[in-house]
Amino acid sequence: MDISNNLLTLADGNQMPQQGFGVYKITDHTEFLQSIKAAWENGYRLFDTAQMYENEQFLGEAIHNLAIPRAELFLTTKVSEANQGYDATINSVKASLRKLQTDYVDLLLIHWPINTEFFDTWRAFEELKKEGLTKSIGVSNYSMVHLQYLATQAHEMPVVNQIEVSPYMSQKPLLKFQQDHQIVTQAWSPLGRGKIFNDPTMMQLAAQKHRSVAQVILRWHLQNKIAIIPKSVHANRIAENAAIYDFSLTEHEMKIMDSVNKNHRVSKEPELVYEFGEQYPY
C-alpha cells in the first residue's frame, strides 16, 4: 500500500484517498502549478481546495496542464459562508466547477456552519448530489452538536467532516462520535501548521524511528483512521509527507503521541463561527 492506492470507503459507497494534498494559502500562480505537479508525481491523487482560498482556477489549470485523466483524480472544494443558502450554494458550486474545469467534484463540503443558512445549504447539497455535480457531500468544522442538529432535517448525512486535528488538538470524543455514525474524519492542518515540530516528546520519538516529526505525526493520523491533507510548497517536503507507508507506530508509541494533546486550536471555534455567520477575528 502507498499514498496512491490507500483508499477509505465512505458511507455512500464511494472511495476516497486517505491522504491528499491541501492548497490552503498557496496563491502564487507559478508556485501553485509546481506544487501540484510535485504532488501528482509523488502519488497524491486527492486535491483539496475551497472557494475561500481563491485558487480553484489554479487547480483547474494545473490539472489541465498535466493532462491528468479525470477518473484518476479526487477533487474536493468547499462552499464559503458568503455563498451559503439554497440558491447561492447551487450557483456558487456551478461557478467553482467552471474554475476547476470539471463537470463534478468528488466531494463537496460546507466550509463552516452558520446559523442563518444551516438547513437550506444542506438541502442544496442534497440537490447538487442528485444532479451529479458532486459524488459525495460532507461538512467541515462541524462540532458534535452541529451534526446532531443537522440530523433532525437531513435526508442523508455527511460522509466526511473535515476538522482541525493534530497531536495538540486530538478531538478524541468527536472522532469517536463520527466513527460511530459512519462519518469519516478528515484532518485539516494535520501538522498543526508546523507549530508542534519542536515538541520534545515528538522529537524524541521521531529520532528513535529515524523519521521526521512530520512523518511520525502523519503516520499517527493514518493509524487513527483519519484522512489527511497536508500542504507544502516545497518538493522535498511534499515527497517526505508521502513517504509514510514503510513504517508503523507501536501501540505504546501511539499512546505517547496521544499524551501531548492540549486541546489547543490554531484556528476558529466552530460554535462562534456558527453564531456570527462568518470567521470572526482571531
Side-chain angles (χ1 to χ4, degrees), residues 176-195:
K176 184 180 186 307
F177 176 87
Q178 294 185 167
Q179 187 175 28
D180 289 345
H181 290 82
Q182 293 77 53
I183 300 171
V184 168
T185 299
Q186 188 176 54
W188 62 257
S189 192
L191 300 172
R193 293 184 179 165
K195 296 179 180 179

Side-chain angles (χ1 to χ4, degrees), residues 142-145 147 161 163 170-179 185 265:
Y142 274 46
S143 67
M144 193 184 301
V145 71
L147 294 168
N161 186 14
I163 58 174
S170 61
Q171 302 243 47
K172 292 293 186 179
L174 181 53
L175 265 58
K176 184 180 186 307
F177 176 87
Q178 294 185 167
Q179 187 175 28
T185 299
R265 293 187 183 277

Side-chain angles (χ1 to χ4, degrees), residues 194 220 256 273:
W220 171 77
I256 292 174
V273 177

Side-chain angles (χ1 to χ4, degrees), residues 148-215:
Q148 291 169 325
Y149 188 39
L150 184 62
T152 65
Q153 292 192 25
H155 292 96
E156 59 180 295
M157 285 296 286
V159 296
V160 171
N161 186 14
Q162 187 183 110
I163 58 174
E164 178 182 347
V165 186
S166 75
Y168 278 6
M169 185 69 190
S170 61
Q171 302 243 47
K172 292 293 186 179
L174 181 53
L175 265 58
K176 184 180 186 307
F177 176 87
Q178 294 185 167
Q179 187 175 28
D180 289 345
H181 290 82
Q182 293 77 53
I183 300 171
V184 168
T185 299
Q186 188 176 54
W188 62 257
S189 192
L191 300 172
R193 293 184 179 165
K195 296 179 180 179
I196 57 179
F197 286 171
N198 295 322
D199 181 276
T201 300
M202 287 188 286
M203 289 177 68
Q204 182 179 8
L205 179 56
Q208 292 170 354
K209 304 296 286 189
H210 304 290
R211 296 285 174 162
S212 69
V213 173
Q215 287 176 316

Side-chain angles (χ1 to χ4, degrees), residues 92-109:
S92 73
V93 169
K94 290 178 178 178
S96 291
L97 293 177
R98 288 192 291 272
K99 293 175 182 177
L100 290 166
Q101 301 185 41
T102 185
D103 296 329
Y104 67 95
V105 289
D106 297 273
L107 178 63
L108 183 65
L109 304 177

Side-chain angles (χ1 to χ4, degrees), residues 11 15-16 50 71 77 88 99 122 127 149 175 200 203 232 247 249 254:
Q15 290 189 311
M16 178 181 81
T77 196
K99 293 175 182 177
W122 188 250
E127 180 60 30
Y149 188 39
L175 265 58
M203 289 177 68
S232 180
F247 78 102
L249 300 176
M254 291 290 286

Side-chain angles (χ1 to χ4, degrees), residues 8-237:
L8 298 174
T9 300
L10 306 177
D12 60 10
N14 293 322
Q15 290 189 311
M16 178 181 81
Q18 186 174 2
Q19 183 172 1
F21 188 77
V23 299
Y24 177 57
K25 286 192 173 180
I26 308 180
T27 55
D28 179 84
H29 186 212
T30 300
E31 192 173 61
F32 193 104
L33 298 180
Q34 291 173 344
S35 297
I36 299 302
K37 185 175 186 293
W40 174 258
E41 291 173 348
N42 280 283
Y44 294 81
R45 297 297 179 260
L46 185 158
F47 295 91
D48 176 283
T49 184
Q51 294 171 351
M52 187 193 79
Y53 302 166
E54 298 184 344
N55 58 20
E56 290 172 311
Q57 69 277 14
F58 292 166
L59 182 54
E61 180 184 350
I63 292 166
H64 176 77
N65 289 350
L66 291 169
I68 300 170
R70 181 64 183 87
E72 295 183 21
L73 284 170
F74 190 104
L75 295 180
T76 301
T77 196
K78 311 177 198 77
V79 173
S80 66
E81 300 93 277
N83 290 332
Q84 290 193 39
Y86 186 81
D87 291 331
T89 292
I90 290 175
N91 291 335
S92 73
V93 169
K94 290 178 178 178
S96 291
L97 293 177
R98 288 192 291 272
K99 293 175 182 177
L100 290 166
Q101 301 185 41
T102 185
D103 296 329
Y104 67 95
V105 289
D106 297 273
L107 178 63
L108 183 65
L109 304 177
I110 299 174
H111 207 151
W112 290 86
I114 61 173
N115 73 88
T116 53
E117 310 291 351
F118 189 79
F119 291 113
D120 283 344
T121 301
W122 188 250
R123 187 163 56 89
F125 269 45
E126 292 177 334
E127 180 60 30
L128 287 162
K129 184 182 176 186
K130 288 178 185 175
E131 293 181 11
L133 301 184
T134 181
K135 288 189 173 183
S136 297
I137 52 178
V139 294
S140 180
N141 299 300
Y142 274 46
S143 67
M144 193 184 301
V145 71
H146 296 133
L147 294 168
Q148 291 169 325
Y149 188 39
L150 184 62
T152 65
Q153 292 192 25
H155 292 96
E156 59 180 295
M157 285 296 286
V159 296
V160 171
N161 186 14
Q162 187 183 110
I163 58 174
E164 178 182 347
V165 186
S166 75
Y168 278 6
M169 185 69 190
S170 61
Q171 302 243 47
K172 292 293 186 179
L174 181 53
L175 265 58
K176 184 180 186 307
F177 176 87
Q178 294 185 167
Q179 187 175 28
D180 289 345
H181 290 82
Q182 293 77 53
I183 300 171
V184 168
T185 299
Q186 188 176 54
W188 62 257
S189 192
L191 300 172
R193 293 184 179 165
K195 296 179 180 179
I196 57 179
F197 286 171
N198 295 322
D199 181 276
T201 300
M202 287 188 286
M203 289 177 68
Q204 182 179 8
L205 179 56
Q208 292 170 354
K209 304 296 286 189
H210 304 290
R211 296 285 174 162
S212 69
V213 173
Q215 287 176 316
V216 168
I217 293 172
L218 294 176
R219 186 68 207 183
W220 171 77
H221 282 294
L222 286 190
Q223 291 182 213
N224 277 325
K225 297 181 172 58
I226 298 171
I228 48 176
I229 47 169
K231 179 210 79 172
S232 180
V233 296
H234 304 288
N236 61 326
R237 290 181 187 166

